């Protein structure tokens, strides 16, 4: 059973991009199962504050909470102490994440508005681009950093820090940058992130502390579980929103895809350049690049669904769930291949010198 789980974990890590594309296409062609899943919800209307702003916990929210719980379960005391031992690295990554990605989100949104789409659709898509830039880094960046042979501890700590402050920064930045185009329900976004992200992470940390060393044995199970949840979230973001893809024209879809891709590329490049500027090691450079460039697109889909229901703000967020699952492995593979090339060149250099 353990070997089967290890094989499943290895297969998922290596083929997550391909599996994401397959799920996205399948959910577009056959959206009914994903619509049925997305219709499942937990009633929260009996909770006084949540009743007005976050009355139900949908299946996408639940799965995202499971992913965040898994993230909390992987955190150790060392991940918190890393902030104290290497404050410069973590703080550079933290500010790069929010300053660059929120700024680039606003930039690509302004560029998108220049394409002359109808005012309502353009404003909604622009809001989605900004929202995508204002969410924290996703857990996928930790996996990609591992595949890229980067500093995984730094990546995990950065994800943890940016995620824990997301209840405050994400709605604040979205209101500041996108409030000119669409009404932003700050409290809805705040409560969504607290319930779906913050609380599950804290619960995961507490369970990890209670289990101690036994939690390490669950690591492969958590990776596989999170990967399955990511794929289900992707399907439930794409399938039920098929009309957003099909009824607004191919040109709009292509232009939005281009700007989502541009947003990721700008973040990857800015993270890389900033790490180099601060004289970080190659492992840290890779971690910072991937952490900054890969957003928590699943969270952005959740927030678009709850804060901007029935709008096209979800379009960039859904596209990002597909695009970053392709871009991430490509960039990670590029970084890893540089090590392979170095290993191949080194013996020949030694022979030439001998």
């Amino acid at each position: 059973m353990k070997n089967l789980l290890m094989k499943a974990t290895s297969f998922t890590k290596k083929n997550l991009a391909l599996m994401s594309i397959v799920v996205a296409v399948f959910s577009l062609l056959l959206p009914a199962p994903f619509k049925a899943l997305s219709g499942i919800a937990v009633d929260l209307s009996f909770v006084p504050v949540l009743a007005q702003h976050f009355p139900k916990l949908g299946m996408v929210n639940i799965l995202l909470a499971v992913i965040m719980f898994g993230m909390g379960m992987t955190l150790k005391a060392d991940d918190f102490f890393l902030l104290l031992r290497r404050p410069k690295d973590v703080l550079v990554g933290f500010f790069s994440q929010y300053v660059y990605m929120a700024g680039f989100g606003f930039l690509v949104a302004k560029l998108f508005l220049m394409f002359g789409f109808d005012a309502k659709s353009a404003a909604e898509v622009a809001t989605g681009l900004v929202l995508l830039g204002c969410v924290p880094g996703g857990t996928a960046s930790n996996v990609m950093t591992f595949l890229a042979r980067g500093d995984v501890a730094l990546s995990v700590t950065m994800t943890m820090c940016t995620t824990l402050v997301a209840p405050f920064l994400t709605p604040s930045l979205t209101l500041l940058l996108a409030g000119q185009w669409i009404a932003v329900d700050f409290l809805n976004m705040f409560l969504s992130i607290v319930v779906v992200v913050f609380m599950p992470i804290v619960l995961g940390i507490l369970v990890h502390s209670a289990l101690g060393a036994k939690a390490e044995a669950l690591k492969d199970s958590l990776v596989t579980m999170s990967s399955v949840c990511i794929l289900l979230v992707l399907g439930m973001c794409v399938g039920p929103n098929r009309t957003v893809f099909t009824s607004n024209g191919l040109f709009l879809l292509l232009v939005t895809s281009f700007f989502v891709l541009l947003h990721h590329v700008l973040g990857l490049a800015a993270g890389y350049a900033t790490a180099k500027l601060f004289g970080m090691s190659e492992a840290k450079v890779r971690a910072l690049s991937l952490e900054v460039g890969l957003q928590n697109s699943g969270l952005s889909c959740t927030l678009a669904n709850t804060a901007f229901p029935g709008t096209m703000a979800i379009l960039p967020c859904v596209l990002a769930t597909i695009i970053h699952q392709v871009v991430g492995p490509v960039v990670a593979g590029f970084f890893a291949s540089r090590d392979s090339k170095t290993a191949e060149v080194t013996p020949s250099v030694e022979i030439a010198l001998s």
Side-chain angles (χ1 to χ4, degrees):
M1 183 66 181
K2 186 176 180 181
N3 289 335
L4 182 63
L5 180 60
M6 290 177 65
K7 288 180 181 179
T9 303
S10 177
F11 177 83
T12 304
K13 283 182 179 178
K14 292 178 181 178
N15 299 281
L16 191 57
L18 177 61
M19 293 167 70
S20 298
I21 294 172
V22 170
V23 169
V25 172
F26 181 80
S27 60
L28 281 173
L29 297 175
L30 194 65
F34 296 99
K35 283 184 178 179
L37 275 175
S38 63
I40 300 172
V42 176
D43 183 23
L44 299 177
S45 60
F46 62 92
V47 182
V49 178
L50 296 180
Q52 292 177 306
H53 299 276
F54 194 63
K56 64 179 181 178
L57 190 68
M59 183 54 72
V60 170
N61 306 118
I62 293 170
L63 290 174
L64 189 60
V66 171
I67 295 170
M68 293 298 105
F69 173 78
M71 176 185 166
M73 280 283 289
T74 63
L75 295 176
K76 298 175 292 202
D78 286 347
D79 298 319
F80 293 91
F81 291 138
L82 187 68
L83 178 59
L84 301 176
R85 293 198 306 266
R86 292 159 53 182
K88 186 185 83 168
D89 296 343
V90 178
L91 289 174
V92 168
F94 177 87
F95 285 104
S96 296
Q97 174 72 54
Y98 278 113
V99 173
Y100 286 142
M101 295 311 281
F104 290 148
F106 182 71
L107 172 64
V108 296
K110 295 290 280 188
L111 292 173
F112 175 84
L113 290 170
M114 296 170 61
F115 271 75
F117 296 110
D118 71 272
K120 182 176 180 294
S121 297
E124 291 173 356
V125 172
T127 299
L129 289 167
V130 168
L131 175 61
L132 184 61
C134 296
V135 294
T139 54
S141 61
N142 309 147
V143 178
M144 294 304 117
T145 300
F146 171 78
L147 296 176
R149 299 171 188 171
D151 190 332
V152 178
L154 177 60
S155 177
V156 170
T157 304
M158 286 169 53
T159 300
M160 175 188 70
C161 291
T162 56
T163 302
L164 289 177
V165 300
F168 303 97
L169 280 185
T170 297
S172 298
L173 289 170
T174 305
L175 178 62
L176 175 67
L177 299 175
Q180 60 186 301
W181 302 316
I182 197 170
V184 178
D185 188 338
F186 178 94
L187 194 53
N188 173 281
M189 295 182 71
F190 173 81
L191 293 172
S192 299
I193 301 172
V194 168
V195 173
V196 176
V197 177
F198 184 82
M199 291 173 61
I201 288 179
V202 172
L203 180 60
I205 293 171
L206 293 174
V207 172
H208 188 157
S209 299
L211 292 177
K214 294 179 181 178
E216 290 300 313
L218 300 173
K219 189 174 181 180
D220 287 339
S221 300
L222 291 170
V223 171
T224 304
M225 177 185 69
S226 294
S227 299
V228 171
C229 289
I230 288 170
L231 293 173
L232 287 173
V233 167
L234 173 60
M236 282 186 282
C237 287
V238 174
N241 295 289
R242 184 170 69 168
T243 54
V244 175
F245 290 88
T246 58
S247 64
N248 294 285
L250 181 61
F251 184 60
L252 174 61
L253 186 63
L254 291 175
V255 171
T256 306
S257 299
F258 169 77
F259 282 116
V260 170
L261 177 61
L262 178 62
H263 186 231
H264 283 307
V265 171
L266 287 172
L268 290 162
Y272 185 92
T274 300
K276 284 288 189 182
L277 182 65
F278 278 88
M280 294 185 182
S281 66
E282 180 62 22
K284 293 178 185 178
V285 168
R286 296 176 185 185
L288 196 69
S289 176
L290 289 162
E291 185 66 31
V292 173
L294 301 180
Q295 298 293 83
N296 191 335
S297 52
L299 176 59
S300 69
C301 288
T302 292
L303 295 176
N305 261 328
T306 57
F308 312 113
T311 72
M312 288 181 61
I314 198 171
L315 178 60
C317 306
V318 172
L319 289 171
T321 62
I322 303 169
I323 292 171
H324 92 240
Q325 294 289 8
V326 176
V327 172
V330 169
V331 175
F334 169 75
F335 281 139
S337 69
R338 290 167 63 179
D339 292 340
S340 301
K341 289 177 181 178
T342 303
E344 291 172 3
V345 171
T346 301
S348 62
V349 172
E350 290 177 350
I351 292 170
L353 291 174
S354 60

